[in-house]
Amino acid sequence: MLLLHLLQYFGIIYFNFNSKYQLSNLIRSNLILKDFQARAPESRCQLCAVNSICLPSGLSKDELCELENIMTTSKVVEKNTQLFNDGEKFHSLYIVHSGMFKNSSLDENGKERILRFSLPGEIMGLDGIHAESYQSTAIALTTSSYCKIPFNQLLDVSEDFPIIQRNLLKIMSKEIYSNKKTYIDLGSTAKLALFIFNISQRFKKRGYSEKEFYLPISQRDIANYLGMAEETLSRIFKKLQKLGAVNYKKHILTVVNQQQLKEIAQLSSPK
Amino acid sequence: MLLLHLLQYFGIIYFNFNSKYQLSNLIRSNLILKDFQARAPESRCQLCAVNSICLPSGLSKDELCELENIMTTSKVVEKNTQLFNDGEKFHSLYIVHSGMFKNSSLDENGKERILRFSLPGEIMGLDGIHAESYQSTAIALTTSSYCKIPFNQLLDVSEDFPIIQRNLLKIMSKEIYSNKKTYIDLGSTAKLALFIFNISQRFKKRGYSEKEFYLPISQRDIANYLGMAEETLSRIFKKLQKLGAVNYKKHILTVVNQQQLKEIAQLSSPK
DNA sequence: CGCGTGATTGATATATCTCAATAACGGTGG
DNA sequence: CCACCGTTATTGAGATATATCAATCACGCG
C-alpha cells in the first residue's frame, strides 16, 4: 500500500484509495505501471504498453501530438461501469487502455448476447459509425482504463494525416477478418479450447504471459459468448483440466500444454 | 432470344451468345437491363440499380467520375468463376454488380467454411486490407458481374474526396455490425428461418421482391454457412414448408408468411 | 436416355440442453 | 476477523435436438 502511495506521489500512477479491494483489482487488471495520466501530454501514447497495436501505430511525433490533442487518455473506471449503451447516439470511439470490457446487446427476447471481449489496444464502438448510434453496450469486467476519441474530430485530423485513416481502415479490416474465426461448427470442447487459445495469443501480443493470466470473465459470460449452456461449459473446463491442457482456478487461467490445446481446438466438427 | 439481340444491338446489355442456357441464367441472376458496360463511362454508376447502397452513395458527379476512372465496371463471369483466392496478394476491392458470390476459406483440416454470401452492391475483399493479402476466396454462385477497384488508387482518390473515405468507413462499420446477427445460439429451425428472413430483406433493399426470389445456393452451402448437417437442413426446410412459412422448389424461394417466419427466427435458443 | 451431383428419408448414436439440487466463493456488515 | 448472504460454479439424471451412416430419390445436364 505504501508503495502505491509513493508511485502516485511521483506521478507514475493515479487512482482513488476508496476501497480496500482496489489494490488486488489493480494488480489483476495489470494497471500498475501502465497508467500515465499524470505524465506530460506529448508522451502518453508513446509510453503506452500497447501503442504498437493501437491506432497510433506508426505515427510520427507530430501526428501523435495532433491525435492526443483531441483524445481523452487513460480514464480509470470501476468494474461494471458502462462506457456506452446500445442505441445511444454515437460520438466517440473508445480504446481499451488496460483491463477488459465486454461488448453485448440484447436480442429480440431481451436476452443478453455477448459479441466480444475487448482487450488493451482494441477499439470499441466501430459498429456504431454507419448508423450514427452505438450498436452494442460496453461494460468493464474489472477495474479498467480507456481512451476516448471524438469521431468527427478524428475524421478532421485524419484529413491532414492520411496515415491515421489508413490505420483505422486496417483496424476495421482486421475486425472484419477476425469474424472469420467463428465458433459456429465446432463442438463444445473445441469451442472452449479455441477460445482459450485465442485469448492466450491476444494476451501474448500485448506483452502479457500467454501461459498464465487473470481472466476477469464469469463462466456465464464465456458460455453466453460461445453459445452453450453454463453447465456444459463447467463440465468442459473440467475435461480440459483432466486432459492436462489447461488449469483454471479462481479466474487464473494456466495453459499447461499449448500444443494439445491447439489440437483440441482443431477437432473437426463433432458437434 | 430476338429481344436479347435487339437489346444488345442498342447497347442496353452485353453478353456472349455461346450457350443455350445463358438466357435462363441471365434471367435468374437478374442481369437483364442491369448491365451497362456498353454505355458512356460517366453514367455507369448513376444508372446502376444498387448505387444508393454502394460505395458511390451520395457522391457528386465529379466525385463519381474520379471513382469511375480508376475502376473496372461490370465484368460478367460464369458460375464457379473465382475472383480472388485466400492468401493471394491483396490489390483490389471487388463489388458485386449482379448475381451472387460466396466467400469462403479453408479451416485447419482443409474443410471449406463459408463466411458470407455477397449480393449486388456489397464489397468483397475488405478483410484483406490489414494483412495485404486476401483472407478469403470469392466464387460466383451463378452468372454474375462485378466491379473492381484498385485499393491504393482508391486511397489516393479519397484523399481528395473525403466523402469516399467516409463511405468506406461506413460500409466497413456496417459489416462489423452485421456480425452481431450471429447464428451461434439458435436452434436449427431458428437459424434457417433467420437466414431466409435476412436474405429476403437484403433482396428487398436492392429492389428485388422480398417474397419470391431465385436463390442460387446449394443446400450444402447453406448448411455449411449455418453450421449444420445437410440432412438437418433438408428436414428443416420441409418443416418450414409444412408450417406454411415458406416454399422452396428448384431454388425458387417464396416467403409465404413473413410474420410467422420472423417469429420462428426469434425462437429463443432451444438448441 | 443415362450419368453424376444434389436432395431426401430413415434409423441410430451422441452431444448438449434442461431442470434441480448442492457446493464454493466473494463481498458485506457486525 | 469471522459469519452471513447472494451470486457463481459444480454435479447428476433425464430429455431432446442434431449429427452420422446408409440407402434411395430427383434432377440438371450431356
Side-chain angles (χ1 to χ4, degrees):
Chain A
M1 216 51 172
L2 176 64
L3 173 66
L4 277 175
H5 278 288
L6 279 172
L7 288 173
Q8 177 158 37
Y9 181 80
F10 288 111
I12 311 271
I13 66 163
Y14 172 82
F15 71 101
N16 297 321
F17 295 92
N18 60 9
S19 157
K20 61 175 170 169
Y21 297 106
Q22 285 218 342
L23 175 56
S24 58
N25 281 340
L26 277 173
I27 292 169
R28 282 173 180 168
S29 64
N30 295 296
L31 264 175
I32 288 178
L33 293 180
K34 290 198 174 132
D35 187 71
F36 301 100
Q37 197 169 49
R39 293 229 171 221
E42 63 271 24
S43 59
R44 286 172 298 179
C45 279
Q46 280 188 315
L47 289 170
C48 178
V50 289
N51 59 16
S52 64
I53 56 167
C54 193
L55 189 59
S57 162
L59 264 60
S60 72
K61 213 159 187 170
D62 281 357
E63 291 156 346
L64 209 55
C65 223
E66 286 290 328
L67 196 60
E68 288 188 1
N69 269 339
I70 62 166
M71 65 192 265
T72 316
T73 50
S74 194
K75 273 266 204 205
V76 178
V77 291
E78 294 295 307
K79 179 175 170 174
N80 289 328
T81 308
Q82 182 181 292
L83 292 190
F84 52 82
N85 193 15
D86 190 355
E88 197 180 306
K89 187 166 163 38
F90 171 77
H91 47 80
S92 298
L93 296 174
Y94 291 80
I95 305 181
V96 184
H97 178 250
S98 67
M100 201 184 289
F101 291 82
K102 73 171 171 182
N103 301 101
S104 61
S105 68
L106 300 179
D107 69 13
E108 301 77 11
N109 308 304
K111 206 186 139 202
E112 182 184 27
R113 275 268 55 230
I114 296 173
L115 307 169
R116 64 177 280 156
F117 299 103
S118 295
L119 270 59
E122 290 176 346
I123 304 184
M124 298 182 289
L126 291 170
D127 54 358
I129 294 174
H130 79 282
E132 284 164 40
S133 64
Y134 293 104
Q135 300 297 315
S136 58
T137 299
I139 294 173
L141 289 173
T142 180
T143 305
S144 303
S145 61
Y146 67 90
C147 308
K148 181 178 172 181
I149 308 182
F151 186 65
N152 283 327
Q153 291 181 50
L154 177 65
L155 286 182
D156 291 344
V157 170
S158 66
E159 273 183 40
D160 298 325
F161 302 102
I163 189 176
I164 295 178
Q165 280 268 20
R166 260 193 117 105
N167 278 358
L168 193 55
L169 289 177
K170 275 197 182 176
I171 287 165
M172 292 179 82
S173 166
K174 201 165 193 171
E175 186 151 339
I176 290 169
Y177 159 73
S178 77
N179 293 304
K180 231 179 98 157
K181 295 175 210 142
T182 176
Y183 295 91
I184 203 165
D185 68 343
L186 298 179
S188 293
T189 311
K191 268 186 190 172
L192 181 56
L194 182 60
F195 174 73
I196 295 171
F197 185 78
N198 284 343
I199 281 262
S200 158
Q201 294 306 104
R202 282 160 80 196
F203 272 118
K204 182 186 181 183
K205 209 163 190 177
R206 281 154 186 82
Y208 304 139
S209 167
E210 63 181 314
K211 296 285 177 199
E212 185 162 51
F213 42 83
Y214 177 71
L215 198 64
I217 318 177
S218 71
Q219 292 195 190
R220 181 183 316 241
D221 280 354
I222 298 176
N224 179 313
Y225 176 70
L226 294 177
M228 55 172 129
E230 215 180 321
E231 298 94 324
T232 307
L233 186 90
S234 177
R235 284 182 246 265
I236 300 218
F237 245 130
K238 201 176 182 182
K239 187 176 159 190
L240 289 183
Q241 290 182 80
K242 216 170 244 167
L243 287 170
V246 304
N247 206 293
Y248 186 58
K249 229 170 27 184
K250 313 203 183 200
H251 291 273
I252 305 289
L253 204 149
T254 315
V255 177
V256 179
N257 186 336
Q258 190 177 37
Q259 181 56 30
Q260 188 187 15
L261 185 65
K262 199 173 175 180
E263 278 161 17
I264 295 170
Q266 290 178 3
L267 282 182
S268 61
S269 48
K271 202 176 185 171
Chain B
M1 219 50 175
L2 176 64
L3 173 66
L4 276 176
H5 279 287
L6 279 171
L7 286 173
Q8 177 159 36
Y9 180 80
F10 288 112
I12 311 272
I13 66 162
Y14 172 81
F15 71 102
N16 297 320
F17 296 94
N18 59 9
S19 156
K20 62 174 170 173
Y21 297 105
Q22 285 217 342
L23 176 56
S24 60
N25 282 340
L26 276 173
I27 292 169
R28 282 175 180 165
S29 65
N30 295 295
L31 262 178
I32 289 178
L33 291 180
K34 289 199 174 131
D35 187 71
F36 301 99
Q37 196 170 49
R39 292 225 173 225
E42 62 270 25
S43 58
R44 285 172 299 179
C45 278
Q46 279 188 314
L47 290 171
C48 178
V50 290
N51 59 17
S52 64
I53 56 166
C54 193
L55 188 61
S57 162
L59 264 59
S60 72
K61 214 161 188 171
D62 281 357
E63 291 156 346
L64 209 54
C65 224
E66 286 291 328
L67 196 59
E68 287 187 4
N69 269 339
I70 63 166
M71 65 193 266
T72 315
T73 50
S74 193
K75 274 267 205 206
V76 178
V77 291
E78 294 294 309
K79 179 174 170 175
N80 290 327
T81 308
Q82 181 181 293
L83 293 189
F84 53 82
N85 193 14
D86 190 355
E88 198 181 306
K89 186 167 163 41
F90 171 77
H91 47 79
S92 298
L93 296 174
Y94 291 80
I95 305 181
V96 183
H97 179 248
S98 68
M100 200 183 289
F101 291 82
K102 73 170 171 183
N103 300 102
S104 60
S105 67
L106 301 179
D107 68 14
E108 301 76 11
N109 309 304
K111 207 184 138 204
E112 182 184 26
R113 277 266 56 231
I114 296 174
L115 307 168
R116 64 178 280 155
F117 300 103
S118 296
L119 268 60
E122 290 176 346
I123 304 184
M124 300 182 288
L126 291 169
D127 54 358
I129 294 174
H130 78 283
E132 283 163 39
S133 64
Y134 293 104
Q135 300 296 314
S136 57
T137 299
I139 294 172
L141 287 174
T142 180
T143 305
S144 304
S145 62
Y146 66 90
C147 308
K148 181 179 172 181
I149 308 181
F151 187 64
N152 283 327
Q153 291 182 49
L154 177 65
L155 286 183
D156 291 344
V157 169
S158 66
E159 273 183 38
D160 297 326
F161 302 102
I163 188 175
I164 296 177
Q165 278 270 21
R166 258 191 119 105
N167 278 358
L168 193 55
L169 289 176
K170 275 195 182 176
I171 287 166
M172 292 179 81
S173 167
K174 202 167 195 171
E175 186 151 339
I176 290 169
Y177 159 74
S178 77
N179 294 303
K180 231 178 100 154
K181 295 174 209 144
T182 177
Y183 296 90
I184 203 164
D185 68 345
L186 299 179
S188 293
T189 311
K191 267 187 192 173
L192 180 57
L194 182 58
F195 174 73
I196 295 172
F197 185 78
N198 284 344
I199 281 260
S200 158
Q201 294 306 106
R202 283 160 79 197
F203 272 117
K204 182 185 183 183
K205 211 165 192 177
R206 282 154 185 80
Y208 304 139
S209 166
E210 64 180 313
K211 296 285 178 199
E212 185 162 51
F213 42 84
Y214 176 71
L215 199 64
I217 318 177
S218 70
Q219 292 194 191
R220 181 185 315 243
D221 280 355
I222 298 176
N224 179 314
Y225 177 70
L226 295 177
M228 55 173 129
E230 215 181 322
E231 297 94 324
T232 307
L233 186 91
S234 176
R235 284 183 246 265
I236 300 216
F237 244 130
K238 200 175 182 183
K239 186 175 160 191
L240 289 182
Q241 290 183 77
K242 216 170 245 168
L243 288 170
V246 304
N247 206 292
Y248 186 58
K249 226 171 22 183
K250 313 203 183 202
H251 292 273
I252 305 289
L253 204 149
T254 315
V255 177
V256 180
N257 187 337
Q258 190 176 37
Q259 181 55 32
Q260 188 187 15
L261 184 66
K262 198 172 175 180
E263 278 161 16
I264 295 170
Q266 289 177 5
L267 284 181
S268 62
S269 50
K271 201 177 186 174

